Amino acid sequence: MASTFTVLVSLLFLLSIPSILSHPLDPLTPLEIKQVTKIIKGSRAVSLANLTFQYVGLDEPSKSTILSWLSNPTKEPLPRQAFVIARAYEKSYEFVVSLSNGSIISQHIYNGTGFPLLNLEEQSAANDLAFKYPPFIKSIKKRGLDIKDVVPSVFTVGWYGEKSMSGRVVKVLFFYKGGTPNVWVRPIEGIAVLVDLDKMVIVKYSDSEVVSIPKAEGTEYRGSKMRPPFAAETKPITVVQPHGPSFKINGHTISWADWNLHLAFDVRAGLVISLATIFDSIEHKHRQVLYKGHVSELFVPYMDPTEEWYYRTFLDAGEFGLGLSAVSLQQHTDCPANAIFMDGYYANQDGEPVKLSNAFCVFERYAGDIAWRHTESAISGEVITEVRPGVSLVVRTVSTIGNYDYIMDWEFKKSGSIKFGVGLSGILEAKASTYTHKKQVKEDIYGTLVTENTIAINHDHYITCYLDLDIDGEKNSFVKGKMKTMRTDGSTPRKSYWTMTRELVKTELDARIWTDKPTELLIVNPNKFTKMGNQVGYRLVPGPAAIPLLLEDDYPQIRGAFSNYNVWVTLYNKSERWAGGLYADRSHGDDTLFTWTNRNRDIDDKDIVLWHTIGFHHSPSQDEFPVMPTLNGGFELRPSNFFESNPILNLRPPKPVDLPTCNATTP
Amino acid sequence: MASTFTVLVSLLFLLSIPSILSHPLDPLTPLEIKQVTKIIKGSRAVSLANLTFQYVGLDEPSKSTILSWLSNPTKEPLPRQAFVIARAYEKSYEFVVSLSNGSIISQHIYNGTGFPLLNLEEQSAANDLAFKYPPFIKSIKKRGLDIKDVVPSVFTVGWYGEKSMSGRVVKVLFFYKGGTPNVWVRPIEGIAVLVDLDKMVIVKYSDSEVVSIPKAEGTEYRGSKMRPPFAAETKPITVVQPHGPSFKINGHTISWADWNLHLAFDVRAGLVISLATIFDSIEHKHRQVLYKGHVSELFVPYMDPTEEWYYRTFLDAGEFGLGLSAVSLQQHTDCPANAIFMDGYYANQDGEPVKLSNAFCVFERYAGDIAWRHTESAISGEVITEVRPGVSLVVRTVSTIGNYDYIMDWEFKKSGSIKFGVGLSGILEAKASTYTHKKQVKEDIYGTLVTENTIAINHDHYITCYLDLDIDGEKNSFVKGKMKTMRTDGSTPRKSYWTMTRELVKTELDARIWTDKPTELLIVNPNKFTKMGNQVGYRLVPGPAAIPLLLEDDYPQIRGAFSNYNVWVTLYNKSERWAGGLYADRSHGDDTLFTWTNRNRDIDDKDIVLWHTIGFHHSPSQDEFPVMPTLNGGFELRPSNFFESNPILNLRPPKPVDLPTCNATTP
C-alpha cells in the first residue's frame, strides 16, 4: 500500500501542471491513463494478475457542469474522471476512477449480455494460438502451404440465439501472403479456430474443406512493387496557404472562421467533436450548435449464410473500436499539404498508454467550390457578379478494420453547415472458390466473382452517427416538416401545389423515420424565434439510405436494430451513446437505439439527440478489386432559420493569393 | 441573288481553313453562325424583315457517321450542318442548313404546340414596352416610385389548358432597385404586363393591388458595399500546379489522365459533354463510356396558386436556355486559380454571333480526397500504408436564370467514375407581403417570411440529365438489380440474407423507376463480358430524389411529366433530347419523356439513353436570404465490372510537389 500511495502522490504532482491547461472534455493524457491504471491495480478489488483493460476513456462531467465551467473558463479545471471496462475472472468490471483524488469512485461487475471492446493484445494472442496447435499445423501442411506465409486474423462471431452465455469467443481465420501483402483476398477456406479470449485457449477447431487459395497475381497494391503499364499520371497539384492555416489549435480546441469546437480521441468512437459553436455577428456571441457528434456504430453484415460466413455481421465500433483501428495519417496522401496532425492515446491491455501518431488531421479545404454567387443582368447598363469561394474546415480520421478502410470527415462551413462524410475504401472481404468463370456458377454465390477463385461477398455498411445537437441551448424539439399536396379552390387555373405542415414530434416512437418520403427534418429550439417569428433550428439533409433486408427477427438485425430506421431522436441520457449497446461484442440486442426508444420517452422541449445512419448495400464489382476506389456518402446539418439572414453575405471577397515569386538572380 | 451568291462564296472560302481542324461535334463557329444566317436570309422562303432567330445550333451527323469518322480522323472533315428555329409571321420555322454546300436542306413550319427558346433581344424589347405605356407609368406614380429604379423582367406563363393556341405571350413583372441591386427580393406586386412576343405589343395590363415594396436594407450583396462587422476572414488558400495543368485541349477535345472527351456549347443545353472515352491499359484502347451527356431540362414549379404566382412553373432550359443564361466565369472565385476557360458563341435574334467569354472552365480538382487507400497491420512485423490522393478533372458552367444560379460540374475521375454535380445558389424568388412577423400570419403564405414584408415562395428544382451512355459500343441494355430478402434453409443459425437478382428491363415502361427502393441500376453491354463472365457496365449512384407533389393532371405536371420518375431509359432517337419537349415554352406536355416512353419501345440490346433527375423540394429559410449559400446535389456513374480490376491500382504514388523556393538575396 505504501508504494501505491507514493506513486499516486507523485502522479498527482505531475498531473497538477498540465491539467491547469486542460479542457474538461480533453481525452485522457498518457499520464492520466497511467494514473487510472495505478489506481485500479492498486485497489483490492481485483487481482492484478488477471485484469485486462478493454476500455479506458474520459468519464465526462455532466453537460450542465461543463456548460457552467465554459461560461467562466478562468476558474480552476474541473475534476477529472475516467471510465474503465476491464476483464478479470471472465467478468466485465466497470470502474469510475477519480483522477483528482486518486480513487475509485464506483466499481461493479456487469452482468448483462455482450462483451466489451477487444483489445489488440488479446487479438494478437488469439492469433498466435493456432501456430502452436498441431492439428492446425497439419491442416496447413495438408494444403501444401508454408506456415510462415499464413496470416491469422480475429473475427467476432455475433450472437445467434444461444440461451446460455456462451463465452467471450472469437474465430481466428487464416489468410495467405505468398507474394502479396493483400491477404484478405487470399483466404485459407475451411480452417477456423474458435478461441476463448478470457481463457486464451482454443475451444474448437475445424478443418472442413480444402479450397485452393486464389492466386497472388494481380492483388499487389504497393506502389513500390508496381510495374508498367502505369495508370496515366498527372502533373503535381497541391493546396497552398502562403500565410499558413487560418485555424488556431489550443490544446484540443480549434477555432476557425466563426467556428469553435473541441476534438477528442476515444478508443471506441475514434474522433469525437464537441461543443461546436458558431459566432453570430448579429447576436454578438458564440451560439451552441453541436454539443457532441461522433460515429456511434458501424454495422457490417455479410450476406453469405453458410457455415463459414454466416456469423460475419460486425459491429465495428463496439467490437474493434474506431479509435483502436484508427491509422496514422500520411501527409500529402491521406491529408493535404496544409494539414496539421493530432495524436491520440489509448490504454493497452495492461493499461499502459499507447500513442497513435497522426490520428486526426485538420485542414482547410478549398476544392474550387462556390460558397454563394449571383450574376445580375436584369439591371440595364450593368452586369453584377459576386462570388465567394467555398473554403471549409475538415477534421479527418481513418479507421481500418481488417480489410476495410473508412475515411471519416467532419466538415464545417462558414455558412454554418456541418457535413459528415464517409469514404469507403480498402479491400473487399473475399471467399475462395473453385469457380474461374461465371458460366460455371449454377447456385447463389452470395457475391461477385471478382477474379479467378475469388468471390467478393455482398454486404451492407450502416454508419450511425450520434448527433447531440443543442441549438442555442439544451432544450430542443424535433419537427417533421411534411410536404402535402393541396388542391386549389379553382380561383386560378392551377389545380394543385404543396404546402409545408410542420409537426412537432413528441415522442421517441414517432421520431423513428425513413427519409424516403418528402420530409424536412428539423431540430429546433422551441423557445427561440427569429425576429420574423421563425423557429430557430438546423435541418438534416440526409445521406444515402439503405433499408435493411435481413428479417427483423434475425439475430444480426436484432443486434443491429439501430438500422431499422435511418433517423431516430432520443431523450439525452449520458449512458446512451452506443447505438448497438455498450457491450456490443456478442450482444443480444437488448441495449440498442431500438430498445431505448421503445420506452417512448417525451422528446419535446427536452435535451434530445438525433441519430442518423448512412447506409450502403454493397454488391461488389471487379473494378473494386483488389483495392476499392473510394465510394462516398454523407449528410449535412444545415442552418434553418438559425440565422436572421445568410451569415456569410458579408464575407469579404478573397484577395489574390500572393504566392512567393522568385528572383532569378542566385549567387 | 447575285449578292447572296457572292457572300456565300466568300464565306465558304473563309470557312474552308478553320473547318479542316474542326471536330464534327464542335459547336458552330462565329463564321458558321454568320453563314447560316446569310443562307437563310438569302433564301426566298421567309421575308428577311420579319424573321427572328430563336435557336441556332449544330445539326450533328448521325452517331454512325461520327464514330466511323473518329476511327479514321485523318480524312477530311465531315459536312457541317446547322439546325435553326426562327419565328416569322407568328410561326415557328425549322431549317436544316448545309454549311458545306451553302444551302437550306430542309425547311418547314412547325404546327405543334409550344414555342421555341426566347431570345434575349425580344425579352429586352418586351421589358421596354411598359415604360412607354401610360397606364403603367400611372401605376408606378400611384405607388410613389421612381420609374428610373424600376427593373422589368420577363416571366414565361406556362400552359393551363387553353384549347386554342393563345399566342406566344409572356408576363413582364417589375422589381425595384432603390439602393440595392437585389431586385428579386423587392417585387412590385400587383402589376403585370402580358406581352405578345411576336407582335411585340402589350395585350393585357393589370394593376390589381398595391403592396409595399420590401425594404432595401439587408439585401445588398456586393462586397464593395459591405460594411463591418464582416464574417470572419480566413487566410489565403489556393491550388497550385507548378508544372501547369495535366490536361491538353485541342480545339474542343480534352484529354486528361486516361480520359478523352469533347466539350461543346449549346445555347439551350449549355455545356454538352460528348465522346467520353477512357483508355484501358489491359485492352490497350480507348473504350466508349458516354456518347453524350448534358442537362436536358430544369423544371422549377413554384407553389403559390394565387393569380400573381400560379403560372410560375418554369422549364428553364427550354424557355430561357442554359447556354443563353450561362455567365462569364471568374477566375479565383467561380473557378480555381488553375482553371482554363473556354468561350461559347450563340446567335442573337438577328442571327449574328455573340461571344460569351469564359462560358466554361476546366480544372483539375484536388480537395484533399483519397482515391483509394489501405493500411495493413495484420501481417506481423510490418505496417503497410498505401494511399493515392484523389485528383479529378472538372468542367464547370454556371447558368443564372433571373434570380437563381445553377453551378453545374461534370467531374471525371481516374477510376472511371463520372460525377455530375449541381450547386444551387443565387436569390430566392420572393413575394411582397404586408406581414412583418409570423404571428400575424393566419393563412397559407406558400413560403417562408424571410424578412419583413418578404415571403420566399416554396418551390421545386428538377434537374434532368440526358445520359447517352454507350458502354463499349452503341448496343446496350438496362439492368435492374434487385436486392431480395432470402430465408435460409436452417443449416446455419442465420435466418436470412439478401441476394442480388438482376433483371433485364426490356421496355421503356418497365424502365420508369423511383430510386427509393434498394435497387442497383446498370447500363450494360449485353454482348461483352469480363474474363470472369460479368457483364460489362456502369451503374448509377442516384442523386437526391424529390417525388413530385403536384397532381398528375395539373398542367405544370403534365408539362413537367419527365419528373414523374427520376430514372427513365429510352430508345435512342436523335430528336428526343429535351425531356420537356423541343418547344417547351407554353408546351402542352405532348412531347416529353413521359409521352415518348408511352410508346413502350424495346430497349434491350439497343442504342439507349438513360435519364436521371436530381430533385429538391425547397422550403426556404432565412439563412438563405438575401443570397443563398450553395445547396449541392449530384449523382455518379460508376464502373461496374467495366474494368477487369481497379484501373487505378497501378497509379504511381505522388511525388512531393516542388514548389518554387525563393532566394532571399534580392538586389
Side-chain angles (χ1 to χ4, degrees):
Chain A
M1 281 300 286
S3 67
T4 307
F5 181 74
T6 317
V7 169
L8 280 179
V9 169
S10 62
L11 271 169
L12 283 170
F13 176 76
L14 279 170
L15 282 168
S16 64
I17 298 153
S19 64
I20 286 172
L21 302 165
S22 79
H23 184 289
L25 293 179
D26 281 354
L28 298 181
T29 64
L31 277 174
E32 287 177 324
I33 292 171
K34 278 178 196 274
Q35 190 190 4
V36 167
T37 305
K38 292 279 181 193
I39 294 166
I40 291 175
K41 288 197 171 176
S43 84
R44 290 175 177 225
V46 199
S47 155
L48 287 171
N50 288 300
L51 186 134
T52 64
F53 288 86
Q54 310 297 138
Y55 175 84
V56 178
L58 178 71
D59 183 45
E60 295 179 16
S62 71
K63 282 177 79 164
S64 57
T65 308
I66 287 178
L67 293 172
S68 92
W69 181 86
L70 283 174
S71 66
N72 185 8
T74 53
K75 66 185 177 189
E76 62 186 71
L78 290 175
R80 297 275 288 172
Q81 292 186 184
F83 177 67
V84 175
I85 302 176
R87 288 289 287 183
Y89 306 109
E90 298 177 40
K91 288 186 167 40
S92 295
Y93 286 78
E94 293 183 5
F95 300 94
V96 175
V97 175
S98 166
L99 288 155
S100 307
N101 60 26
S103 65
I104 293 174
I105 291 177
S106 80
Q107 164 183 349
H108 80 277
I109 294 173
Y110 170 75
N111 286 314
T113 61
F115 301 108
L117 273 187
L118 277 61
N119 64 47
L120 292 182
E121 293 76 11
E122 67 194 359
Q123 291 184 59
S124 179
N127 282 334
D128 289 347
L129 289 177
F131 293 84
K132 293 163 206 149
Y133 187 71
F136 172 75
I137 295 162
K138 199 174 142 197
S139 295
I140 295 298
K141 269 196 187 140
K142 181 176 74 180
R143 285 169 173 79
L145 301 175
D146 185 345
I147 203 154
K148 290 196 304 294
D149 275 346
V150 174
V151 175
S153 184
V154 161
F155 284 66
T156 49
V157 295
W159 171 73
Y160 285 86
E162 301 89 347
K163 288 274 178 339
S164 65
M165 204 59 215
S166 51
R168 198 160 75 95
V169 294
V170 293
K171 279 197 180 173
V172 178
L173 304 178
F174 301 90
F175 302 86
Y176 203 63
K177 263 194 305 185
T180 179
N182 198 339
V183 296
W184 305 108
V185 297
R186 305 193 75 208
I188 304 174
E189 294 292 337
I191 305 177
V193 177
L194 195 70
V195 172
D196 184 309
L197 288 177
D198 290 326
K199 301 192 177 87
M200 200 47 74
V201 293
I202 293 173
V203 289
K204 192 179 166 198
Y205 178 75
S206 55
D207 180 0
S208 57
E209 52 166 354
V210 176
V211 185
S212 299
I213 294 167
K215 63 182 175 4
E217 187 198 335
T219 68
E220 173 67 74
Y221 54 82
R222 288 171 295 183
S224 59
K225 305 288 177 185
M226 289 291 154
R227 296 290 164 263
F230 295 109
E233 273 184 84
T234 49
K235 290 179 187 168
I237 183 165
T238 192
V239 177
V240 168
Q241 293 189 280
H243 306 295
S246 317
F247 52 85
K248 288 197 185 94
I249 302 184
N250 179 11
H252 286 77
T253 300
I254 296 190
S255 57
W256 174 80
D258 285 319
W259 281 103
N260 203 59
L261 53 119
H262 183 273
L263 299 182
F265 175 87
D266 178 77
V267 69
R268 176 164 185 167
L271 173 57
V272 178
I273 304 285
S274 295
L275 295 168
T277 63
I278 190 162
F279 184 78
D280 183 329
S281 60
I282 307 282
E283 294 197 11
H284 280 286
K285 65 172 191 185
H286 275 92
R287 297 174 62 190
Q288 284 177 263
V289 180
L290 183 69
Y291 184 81
K292 191 183 293 298
H294 60 77
V295 177
S296 172
E297 196 46 275
L298 213 166
F299 177 37
V300 190
Y302 282 78
M303 294 300 149
D304 181 336
T306 62
E307 183 58 34
E308 301 264 330
W309 274 77
Y310 77 88
Y311 55 86
R312 304 193 194 192
T313 53
F314 308 107
L315 294 171
D316 280 337
E319 293 169 352
F320 298 102
L322 298 182
L324 198 59
S325 306
V327 303
S328 288
L329 299 173
Q330 298 190 338
Q331 199 144 25
H332 302 296
T333 52
D334 277 319
C335 307
N338 59 331
I340 302 293
F341 294 81
M342 291 174 80
D343 303 329
Y345 292 91
Y346 63 88
N348 70 7
Q349 172 168 287
D350 300 326
E352 288 299 311
V354 178
K355 179 177 172 175
L356 178 66
S357 304
N358 298 357
F360 313 146
C361 69
V362 184
F363 60 93
E364 284 166 276
R365 177 185 167 101
Y366 173 59
D369 290 334
I370 296 171
W372 63 259
R373 85 173 312 289
H374 184 58
T375 297
E376 188 52 72
S377 49
I379 300 168
S380 128
E382 56 177 332
V383 174
I384 297 165
T385 299
E386 284 288 331
V387 192
R388 298 296 175 274
V391 179
S392 57
L393 181 78
V394 174
V395 186
R396 174 172 295 169
T397 185
V398 175
S399 294
T400 301
I401 298 119
N403 52 310
Y404 248 107
D405 296 58
Y406 296 93
I407 303 149
M408 291 168 284
D409 285 357
W410 291 87
E411 182 176 4
F412 295 83
K413 295 190 170 199
K414 292 182 180 180
S415 62
S417 272
I418 303 175
K419 277 186 158 181
F420 173 78
V422 62
L424 278 58
S425 188
I427 297 163
L428 295 165
E429 210 161 303
K431 181 180 189 173
S433 153
T434 56
Y435 296 123
T436 55
H437 194 280
K438 204 182 169 188
K439 70 183 173 209
Q440 301 154 352
V441 179
K442 307 290 177 207
E443 52 174 358
D444 195 342
I445 57 168
Y446 315 115
T448 305
L449 193 63
V450 289
T451 190
E452 286 86 353
N453 308 114
T454 313
I455 299 165
I457 301 295
N458 296 331
H459 56 281
D460 299 323
H461 301 267
Y462 299 99
I463 299 111
T464 300
C465 287
Y466 174 95
L467 301 162
D468 182 5
L469 289 158
D470 281 358
I471 306 300
D472 279 320
E474 288 165 76
K475 287 197 170 182
N476 283 181
S477 295
F478 181 49
V479 170
K480 195 158 65 173
K482 285 183 180 172
M483 285 152 254
K484 196 180 152 194
T485 300
M486 304 293 283
R487 284 176 185 272
T488 60
D489 59 6
S491 63
T492 66
R494 183 84 166 257
K495 294 181 185 178
S496 62
Y497 63 101
W498 58 256
T499 194
M500 177 67 84
T501 47
R502 292 203 172 83
E503 180 188 290
L504 183 70
V505 182
K506 292 192 175 170
T507 64
E508 290 180 320
L509 286 179
D510 287 339
R512 294 173 171 180
I513 287 169
W514 269 108
T515 57
D516 55 345
K517 294 278 171 298
T519 322
E520 190 193 56
L521 301 174
L522 297 163
I523 297 287
V524 301
N525 185 321
N527 308 304
K528 190 171 177 189
F529 296 86
T530 61
K531 282 181 207 155
M532 287 303 102
N534 293 305
Q535 219 160 25
V536 161
Y538 260 69
R539 79 181 170 97
L540 173 69
V541 182
I547 297 175
L549 294 161
L550 292 181
L551 294 174
E552 252 188 73
D553 69 342
D554 201 355
Y555 300 104
Q557 196 58 37
I558 292 169
R559 299 174 67 226
F562 54 87
S563 64
N564 289 359
Y565 298 89
N566 69 340
V567 173
W568 312 67
V569 177
T570 58
L571 186 68
Y572 173 81
N573 179 329
K574 194 182 163 187
S575 73
E576 293 174 3
R577 271 180 70 187
W578 312 108
L582 177 62
Y583 292 86
D585 177 36
R586 310 214 66 206
S587 67
H588 295 197
D590 45 22
D591 178 27
T592 71
L593 253 178
F594 181 76
T595 61
W596 310 335
T597 52
N598 275 340
R599 284 182 279 167
N600 201 22
R601 291 166 292 190
D602 186 359
I603 53 170
D604 177 26
D605 200 7
K606 299 271 195 269
D607 190 1
I608 56 176
V609 178
L610 174 70
W611 305 75
H612 181 47
T613 298
I614 301 170
F616 300 92
H617 293 300
H618 192 182
S619 162
S621 78
Q622 286 184 231
D623 328 72
E624 296 171 333
F625 178 87
V627 180
M628 183 180 156
T630 310
L631 179 66
N632 292 100
F635 62 82
E636 184 174 358
L637 295 164
R638 205 172 152 92
S640 177
N641 299 312
F642 183 80
F643 295 107
E644 292 291 341
S645 60
N646 176 350
I648 51 167
L649 181 74
N650 63 348
L651 184 64
R652 279 197 277 195
K655 292 175 195 126
V657 179
D658 47 341
L659 289 174
T661 48
C662 300
N663 200 307
T665 53
T666 43
Chain B
M1 279 301 285
S3 67
T4 309
F5 181 72
T6 317
V7 168
L8 281 179
V9 168
S10 62
L11 272 169
L12 283 169
F13 176 74
L14 280 169
L15 283 168
S16 64
I17 299 153
S19 64
I20 285 172
L21 302 166
S22 78
H23 184 288
L25 293 179
D26 282 353
L28 298 180
T29 63
L31 276 175
E32 286 177 324
I33 291 171
K34 278 178 196 274
Q35 190 190 4
V36 166
T37 305
K38 290 281 180 192
I39 293 166
I40 290 174
K41 289 198 170 174
S43 83
R44 293 180 174 222
V46 199
S47 155
L48 286 172
N50 288 298
L51 186 134
T52 64
F53 289 86
Q54 310 297 137
Y55 175 84
V56 178
L58 178 71
D59 184 45
E60 295 179 14
S62 71
K63 283 177 79 164
S64 57
T65 307
I66 287 176
L67 294 171
S68 92
W69 181 85
L70 284 173
S71 66
N72 186 8
T74 52
K75 66 186 176 188
E76 63 184 71
L78 290 174
R80 298 274 288 172
Q81 292 186 185
F83 177 68
V84 174
I85 302 176
R87 287 290 288 182
Y89 305 110
E90 298 177 39
K91 288 186 168 41
S92 295
Y93 286 78
E94 293 183 6
F95 299 94
V96 175
V97 174
S98 167
L99 288 155
S100 307
N101 60 27
S103 65
I104 294 174
I105 291 177
S106 80
Q107 165 183 349
H108 81 277
I109 295 173
Y110 170 74
N111 286 313
T113 60
F115 300 108
L117 274 187
L118 276 60
N119 64 48
L120 292 181
E121 293 75 13
E122 66 194 0
Q123 291 185 58
S124 180
N127 282 335
D128 289 346
L129 287 176
F131 292 83
K132 292 164 208 150
Y133 186 70
F136 172 75
I137 295 162
K138 200 174 142 196
S139 295
I140 295 299
K141 269 196 187 140
K142 182 175 75 181
R143 284 168 172 80
L145 301 175
D146 186 343
I147 202 155
K148 290 196 304 294
D149 275 346
V150 174
V151 175
S153 184
V154 161
F155 285 66
T156 49
V157 295
W159 171 72
Y160 285 85
E162 301 88 347
K163 287 276 178 336
S164 65
M165 205 57 215
S166 50
R168 197 159 77 95
V169 293
V170 292
K171 279 197 180 171
V172 178
L173 303 178
F174 301 90
F175 302 86
Y176 202 63
K177 262 194 305 186
T180 179
N182 198 339
V183 296
W184 305 109
V185 297
R186 305 194 73 209
I188 304 173
E189 295 292 336
I191 305 177
V193 177
L194 195 69
V195 172
D196 184 310
L197 289 177
D198 290 326
K199 299 193 178 85
M200 200 47 75
V201 293
I202 293 173
V203 290
K204 193 178 166 196
Y205 178 75
S206 54
D207 181 359
S208 56
E209 53 167 355
V210 176
V211 185
S212 299
I213 294 167
K215 63 182 177 0
E217 187 199 336
T219 68
E220 173 68 73
Y221 54 82
R222 287 171 295 183
S224 59
K225 305 287 176 186
M226 289 292 155
R227 296 291 166 262
F230 295 108
E233 273 185 84
T234 49
K235 291 180 187 170
I237 184 166
T238 191
V239 177
V240 167
Q241 292 189 281
H243 306 295
S246 318
F247 52 83
K248 288 197 185 95
I249 301 184
N250 178 10
H252 285 76
T253 300
I254 295 189
S255 57
W256 174 81
D258 284 320
W259 282 103
N260 203 58
L261 53 119
H262 183 273
L263 299 182
F265 175 87
D266 178 76
V267 70
R268 176 164 186 168
L271 173 57
V272 179
I273 305 285
S274 297
L275 295 168
T277 63
I278 190 163
F279 184 77
D280 183 329
S281 61
I282 307 284
E283 293 198 11
H284 280 286
K285 65 171 190 186
H286 274 92
R287 296 173 63 189
Q288 284 177 263
V289 179
L290 184 68
Y291 184 81
K292 192 182 293 298
H294 59 78
V295 177
S296 172
E297 195 48 273
L298 213 166
F299 176 38
V300 189
Y302 281 78
M303 293 301 150
D304 181 337
T306 62
E307 183 59 31
E308 300 263 330
W309 275 78
Y310 77 86
Y311 55 87
R312 304 193 194 193
T313 53
F314 308 107
L315 294 170
D316 280 336
E319 293 170 351
F320 297 101
L322 299 181
L324 197 59
S325 306
V327 303
S328 288
L329 299 173
Q330 298 189 338
Q331 198 143 26
H332 302 296
T333 52
D334 277 320
C335 307
N338 59 330
I340 302 292
F341 294 81
M342 291 175 79
D343 303 329
Y345 293 90
Y346 62 89
N348 70 6
Q349 172 167 285
D350 300 325
E352 287 299 312
V354 178
K355 179 177 171 174
L356 177 66
S357 304
N358 298 356
F360 313 144
C361 70
V362 183
F363 60 93
E364 284 166 275
R365 176 184 169 103
Y366 172 60
D369 290 333
I370 297 172
W372 62 259
R373 84 172 314 288
H374 184 58
T375 296
E376 188 52 71
S377 49
I379 300 169
S380 126
E382 56 177 332
V383 174
I384 297 165
T385 299
E386 284 289 330
V387 193
R388 298 296 176 275
V391 180
S392 57
L393 181 79
V394 173
V395 186
R396 173 172 295 169
T397 184
V398 175
S399 294
T400 301
I401 298 117
N403 52 311
Y404 249 108
D405 295 58
Y406 295 93
I407 303 150
M408 291 168 282
D409 284 357
W410 291 86
E411 182 177 4
F412 295 83
K413 296 190 169 197
K414 292 182 180 180
S415 62
S417 272
I418 302 174
K419 276 186 159 181
F420 173 78
V422 63
L424 277 58
S425 188
I427 297 163
L428 295 165
E429 211 161 302
K431 182 180 189 172
S433 153
T434 55
Y435 296 123
T436 55
H437 194 280
K438 204 182 168 188
K439 70 184 173 211
Q440 301 155 351
V441 179
K442 309 288 177 209
E443 53 174 356
D444 194 342
I445 57 168
Y446 315 115
T448 305
L449 193 64
V450 288
T451 191
E452 286 87 353
N453 308 115
T454 312
I455 300 165
I457 301 295
N458 296 331
H459 57 281
D460 299 322
H461 301 266
Y462 300 98
I463 299 112
T464 300
C465 286
Y466 174 95
L467 301 163
D468 182 5
L469 290 157
D470 281 359
I471 306 299
D472 279 320
E474 288 165 76
K475 288 197 169 180
N476 284 183
S477 295
F478 180 50
V479 169
K480 195 158 66 173
K482 286 184 180 170
M483 284 153 254
K484 197 180 150 193
T485 300
M486 304 292 284
R487 285 178 184 270
T488 60
D489 60 5
S491 62
T492 66
R494 182 84 165 256
K495 293 182 184 177
S496 62
Y497 63 101
W498 60 256
T499 195
M500 176 68 84
T501 47
R502 291 202 172 83
E503 180 188 290
L504 182 70
V505 182
K506 292 192 175 170
T507 64
E508 289 179 321
L509 286 179
D510 288 338
R512 293 174 172 180
I513 288 169
W514 270 107
T515 57
D516 55 345
K517 294 276 172 300
T519 322
E520 189 193 58
L521 301 174
L522 298 162
I523 297 287
V524 301
N525 185 321
N527 308 304
K528 191 170 176 190
F529 298 85
T530 62
K531 281 181 206 156
M532 287 303 101
N534 293 305
Q535 219 159 26
V536 162
Y538 261 69
R539 79 180 171 98
L540 172 68
V541 182
I547 297 176
L549 293 161
L550 293 181
L551 294 174
E552 251 188 75
D553 69 343
D554 200 356
Y555 300 105
Q557 196 58 36
I558 293 169
R559 299 174 67 226
F562 55 88
S563 64
N564 290 0
Y565 299 89
N566 70 338
V567 173
W568 312 67
V569 177
T570 58
L571 186 67
Y572 173 81
N573 179 330
K574 193 182 162 187
S575 73
E576 294 174 3
R577 271 180 69 186
W578 313 107
L582 177 61
Y583 292 87
D585 177 37
R586 310 215 66 207
S587 66
H588 295 198
D590 46 21
D591 178 28
T592 71
L593 254 179
F594 181 77
T595 61
W596 310 335
T597 52
N598 276 339
R599 283 180 281 167
N600 201 21
R601 290 166 292 188
D602 186 359
I603 52 169
D604 177 26
D605 201 6
K606 299 271 196 272
D607 190 0
I608 56 177
V609 178
L610 174 69
W611 305 73
H612 181 47
T613 298
I614 299 171
F616 300 92
H617 294 300
H618 192 182
S619 162
S621 79
Q622 286 184 232
D623 328 73
E624 297 171 334
F625 178 86
V627 179
M628 182 181 158
T630 309
L631 178 66
N632 292 100
F635 61 83
E636 184 173 359
L637 295 165
R638 205 171 153 91
S640 177
N641 300 312
F642 183 80
F643 295 107
E644 292 290 341
S645 60
N646 177 350
I648 51 168
L649 181 73
N650 63 348
L651 184 64
R652 278 197 278 195
K655 291 175 195 125
V657 179
D658 47 340
L659 290 174
T661 48
C662 299
N663 200 305
T665 53
T666 43

